[in-house]
Amino acid sequence: MGSKGFAGTRAVQGLLAAGTAVLLLAGCGGGGGDTGAAELDNGQVASVLPDAKAVPGWRNHMKPEAQKPIAEYPPSVCAARTKEQRKTACDPVTSWGVSAFSRKADMTTLNFWALAYKDEKAADAAYDILAEWYGGDRVGQDAEKVDLASPGAEREASRAAVGTMGGPATIAQIRVGTTVLGISTGTTGRAAVPDKEVKAFAAMFAERAQQAQSGEKPSAAIPGS
């Protein structure tokens, strides 16, 4: 990826605005607790991010990639309300990555991101701060909660009728062991990505993170792949 990696590209810089930065997704497994919580390296973080095989029906326009944070290009998907919170949530990130998809004429977007930490304690502290930033009306005015069931150790998601792309959007977040995962959807049209589908994305993503932390090659995918 070179010295700048993907963090300096317009695509990643616009990830939050274009797809509504989000977090999340059932039906694929993904339990409530963490049974393996190893620190993940760049290769493992990249493997956790869903690829085209994991989300059939979506066009992959940003392949899974991960990198170590560098001062000039901190993780664009890590945001906090204060400098102190950013020190807690973003400075300890050991590796991070993204993958992105789109489908349909109205360019519905689907974005995944992962932030890795050295241990569960650091990930837990970061999760609370990131949830404060991404939660509630961050996705759009009058946001409503989305039930993700029980993927990971912690999770939450919100949906709004009007997001940054002008149509319905969702933001979700999950903590699985030493990682904090995010999912966002957005569209210029009127049809929201169904909550049931977002729930399935969250479960699949959480399971992939659990597999990596347990020393396995992530293989979880949405049914039909």
Side-chain angles (χ1 to χ4, degrees), residues 108-156:
T108 299
T109 63
L110 171 62
N111 304 309
F112 295 91
W113 66 90
L115 297 165
Y117 297 84
K118 66 177 182 179
D119 54 35
E120 289 185 79
K121 182 178 180 180
D124 188 22
Y127 176 90
D128 293 337
I129 291 171
L130 293 169
E132 182 181 339
W133 174 265
Y134 283 122
D137 285 349
R138 176 65 59 177
V139 66
Q141 191 173 359
D142 299 323
E144 299 180 357
K145 290 292 185 182
V146 175
D147 180 12
L148 297 180
S150 59
E154 301 175 86
R155 83 292 303 169
E156 72 168 64

Side-chain angles (χ1 to χ4, degrees), residues 118-208:
K118 66 177 182 179
D119 54 35
E120 289 185 79
K121 182 178 180 180
D124 188 22
Y127 176 90
D128 293 337
I129 291 171
L130 293 169
E132 182 181 339
W133 174 265
Y134 283 122
D137 285 349
R138 176 65 59 177
V139 66
Q141 191 173 359
D142 299 323
E144 299 180 357
K145 290 292 185 182
V146 175
D147 180 12
L148 297 180
S150 59
E154 301 175 86
R155 83 292 303 169
E156 72 168 64
S158 300
R159 168 180 34 76
V162 180
T164 58
M165 293 178 69
T170 306
I171 292 180
Q173 177 173 290
I174 312 164
R175 182 178 71 80
V176 180
T178 60
T179 62
V180 177
L181 312 174
I183 301 172
S184 68
T185 69
T187 181
T188 59
R190 297 182 179 181
V193 174
D195 291 354
K196 182 179 180 180
E197 194 168 347
V198 173
K199 188 176 179 181
F201 290 146
M204 174 270 294
F205 200 10
E207 185 174 357
R208 291 177 71 90

Side-chain angles (χ1 to χ4, degrees), residues 43-131:
Q44 290 171 311
V45 171
S47 73
V48 167
L49 292 161
D51 56 14
K53 292 182 179 180
V55 283
W58 292 81
R59 182 176 65 86
N60 183 209
H61 63 81
M62 186 180 293
K63 294 182 179 180
E65 289 190 78
Q67 69 172 18
K68 290 183 177 297
I70 52 179
E72 301 93 317
Y73 300 98
S76 60
V77 293
C78 189
R81 295 182 182 276
T82 67
K83 289 184 178 179
E84 197 63 32
Q85 288 181 323
R86 187 172 179 82
K87 284 183 63 177
T88 298
C90 305
D91 288 0
V93 172
T94 57
S95 180
W96 71 285
V98 299
S99 65
F101 304 79
S102 64
R103 73 178 181 188
K104 300 180 180 178
D106 60 8
M107 290 303 294
T108 299
T109 63
L110 171 62
N111 304 309
F112 295 91
W113 66 90
L115 297 165
Y117 297 84
K118 66 177 182 179
D119 54 35
E120 289 185 79
K121 182 178 180 180
D124 188 22
Y127 176 90
D128 293 337
I129 291 171
L130 293 169

